[in-house]
Amino acid sequence: QVQLVESGGGLVQAGGSLRLSCAASGGTFSRYDMGWFRQAPGKEREFVARISWSGVSTYNPDSVKGRFTISRDNAKNTVYLQMNSLKPEDTAIYYCAGKLRGPANYNYWGQGTQVTVSS
């Protein structure tokens, strides 16, 4: 059973940056593909980044491409989300998630960390 704990959220002005971290425990971290999602009030959960178990493959949707970068350090059991050029519409609770390598649903979730971007 993998436990995920996010940190690094906070209040930032538009145009600023934040780096979120997600620490994993309870499993072999390198067996898991990882992702970041977000959910704003009144909106559905939105996918923002994913990274393969090895870190070789990453993907971002167009909404954050060029601004958000996902990375991982398997030695530290941690995945990161570097967020630059933040916009007020990036305000949301950000969640990290994990799944076993390959085609599978994300079934491990953190508790979330709040990111608020002021205009």
Side-chain angles (χ1 to χ4, degrees):
Q1 187 78 4
V2 176
Q3 291 82 45
L4 302 173
V5 179
E6 302 95 335
S7 61
L11 174 64
V12 63
Q13 288 189 332
S17 298
L18 281 175
R19 188 176 82 153
L20 305 183
S21 299
C22 173
S25 62
T28 304
F29 186 61
S30 60
R31 295 181 61 193
Y32 295 87
D33 298 328
M34 300 297 294
W36 285 96
F37 295 76
R38 68 186 180 187
Q39 188 165 21
K43 295 189 176 181
E44 293 188 355
R45 186 171 60 198
E46 177 188 12
F47 161 75
V48 295
R50 68 168 182 253
I51 187 165
S52 63
W53 63 272
S54 64
V56 171
S57 175
T58 64
Y59 176 78
N60 298 104
D62 289 344
S63 58
V64 302
K65 194 179 294 291
R67 300 190 299 122
F68 290 11
T69 302
I70 188 171
S71 62
R72 67 190 293 162
D73 185 337
N74 284 350
K76 295 183 178 180
N77 291 351
T78 302
V79 61
Y80 305 97
L81 185 68
Q82 178 67 44
M83 305 186 295
N84 299 328
S85 302
L86 283 162
K87 306 175 182 180
E89 52 263 43
D90 294 319
T91 295
I93 299 174
Y94 283 71
Y95 300 90
C96 75
K99 65 177 183 70
L100 288 171
R101 303 176 190 174
N105 294 325
Y106 288 97
N107 54 355
Y108 299 103
W109 294 85
Q111 83 289 349
T113 186
Q114 176 71 48
V115 171
T116 303
V117 184
S118 63
S119 57

